[in-house]
Amino acid sequence: MDEIRIAGGKPLSGTVSVQGSKNAALPMMAASLLHRGVSVLKGCPKIADVFCMESILKELGAVTWWEGHDLYMDCTHGDGKSIPCVFTGKMRSSVILLGALLGRCGSGCLGYPGGCVIGQRPIDLHLYALRKLGAEIAEEPFFISASCSGLTGAEITFPHKSVGATEQGILGAVLAKGETCLENCAREPEIQWLCRYLRGMGADIRGDGGDCIYIKGVKELRGGEMEVPPDRIVAGTYLCACAATRGKIVLENYPDGELDAFLKVYGKMGGQYKAKSGKLIADGSGVGYPIPFLETEVYPGFPTDLQSPLLAVLATIPGKSCIRETIFEARFKAAAEINRMGAGITVEGNDAWIQGGSSLHGSTVYAEELRGGAALVIAALAARGETVVRGYSYICRGYEHICEDLTALGGVIMKDTGTNFNEKKQSTNSIAQ
Ligand code: EPZ
């Protein structure tokens, strides 16, 4: 069965290292297609979405291999032009391959992207950017086909911020003829990491991290090589697990400076933390203050990807909290499931009202998407008794070893295969009923 069992009610404690960032690695993998040779991403997370992007690169003719956590991609013969929907339908970020294909060979045809069911997730801004760069794009019923006789630099102003569309514009512009100015860009760290990677390949990009990114097209790019940065959302997820269980943990390989808005909220709830030489020491034992109102925002605001994990924490805090989701239109799917564990969460439109305080109890709950699934794990760690979280495969899309990590922090987690992650410790305490 696609499930894990968690015996909750114990404060987490211990040290874990944060995996490489999913949302940084995926666009870097797409960017690697822009060089007809070998590129390498060191410390790349071994997660379902990365494996999916890897299979897409191989479908296009690239050769890939792993040396530990280092992913090598030889795109010398990555001259395929089409990606079937069996691949693209598995994840959202497949769509940015269109910009990479147009930049590499002037044409591309791919199935519509899939991804988490957290909203409509249109791609109009992606196609707008590529059309501005000179691509002819046909939106067929089951696939998108695009072609150009070489992309040309342009002034592109996004009507609102989009991480993926900003990445799309960057990937299309780096080999285009002439200069491109992208305005109203997303400022998430993953955009900056992509630009650093591309600059290492010889791209001429400046302004990333701000609203305007300036790109001068170059003739060709050399092989990329970069250490994938730590995943800020995984780090935030573990800090939520620490807060929900009132534990004390140390995160090694911490994404310094990328979680400031989240840490502000962590402090407001009563959490304490200290950054020290690349680590973050967190103490959730004093967590107990509700958050009367918080809204998710584009970076550097509170990240939408930590909205569901925070929901689980607030369900354990007495008093009334409210979170407004401003980025996606259907991102409270975890609320109903956490309510099955005894929480008092009411969703009204884009607002979730959390009447916290009643202690959570074990139940059987269902993950429907990545971060909502992580929220269920957090709630289960805080709940008395055993919880079965079904839909574990959604969680594996973004978390490389959430079970092993949380077990290393003292969580009691069992996978359906009976693999007990704390075998050595398990002889004494059985799964609490
Ligand atoms: C990226 O998705 C991340 N995914 C998401 O993380 C993250 O939640 C999101 O950015 C916001 O930070 C990856 O990086 C792979 P957007 P993306 O384009 O690029 C609308 C996770 O859990 N929009 O910034 O798809 C869109 O519907 C995932 O790791 C358009 O209207 O997000 C949304 O309302 C989930 N037209 C808003 O913009 C478009 O063409 C922001 O979306 C594109 C987006």
Side-chain angles (χ1 to χ4, degrees), residues 22-24 26-27 49 92-93 95-96 116 118-128 160-167 186 188 190 231-233 297-299 303-305 326-329 331 369-371 397-399:
K22 165 176 89 80
N23 292 349
L26 294 172
D49 276 14
R92 168 77 182 175
S93 49
V95 68
I96 61 174
C116 292
I118 54 180
Q120 284 305 313
R121 312 200 74 183
I123 57 169
D124 56 321
L125 300 185
H126 291 250
L127 305 185
Y128 158 73
H160 63 80
K161 290 182 185 301
S162 156
V163 174
T166 302
E167 292 165 346
E188 271 69 14
E190 291 76 33
D231 192 310
R232 62 191 173 102
I233 305 303
E297 295 175 276
V298 295
Y299 196 87
T304 174
D305 290 352
T326 69
I327 307 294
F328 291 105
E329 59 274 30
R331 201 164 199 179
E369 38 88 19
L370 169 57
R371 306 304 175 186
R397 287 191 47 201
Y399 295 88

Side-chain angles (χ1 to χ4, degrees), residues 205-225:
I205 309 176
R206 56 194 172 81
D208 44 297
D211 287 325
C212 297
I213 297 178
Y214 306 93
I215 298 169
K216 262 197 202 130
V218 293
K219 279 239 167 309
E220 62 176 8
L221 294 173
R222 52 181 177 266
E225 173 165 352

Side-chain angles (χ1 to χ4, degrees), residues 12 20 32 42 54 66 101 127 143 189 191 210 219 314 329 334 341 350 361 414 432:
L12 295 182
S32 304
K42 300 195 175 249
E54 187 186 3
W66 292 82
L101 285 168
L127 305 185
F143 62 89
I191 304 281
K219 279 239 167 309
L314 294 174
E329 59 274 30
M341 302 169 72
N350 280 348
H361 55 74
M414 180 120 82

Side-chain angles (χ1 to χ4, degrees), residues 248-260:
K248 295 180 182 174
I249 66 171
V250 177
L251 295 182
E252 289 178 337
N253 189 28
Y254 173 73
D256 222 358
E258 295 185 359
L259 273 176
D260 292 353

Side-chain angles (χ1 to χ4, degrees), residues 378-400:
I378 292 167
L381 287 165
R384 273 179 301 99
E386 181 185 85
T387 297
V388 177
V389 179
R390 297 226 160 104
Y392 177 58
S393 50
Y394 286 109
I395 303 170
C396 296
R397 287 191 47 201
Y399 295 88
E400 183 175 348

Side-chain angles (χ1 to χ4, degrees), residues 165-177:
T166 302
E167 292 165 346
Q168 187 79 259
I170 292 166
L171 291 168
V174 286
L175 290 176
K177 244 192 305 319

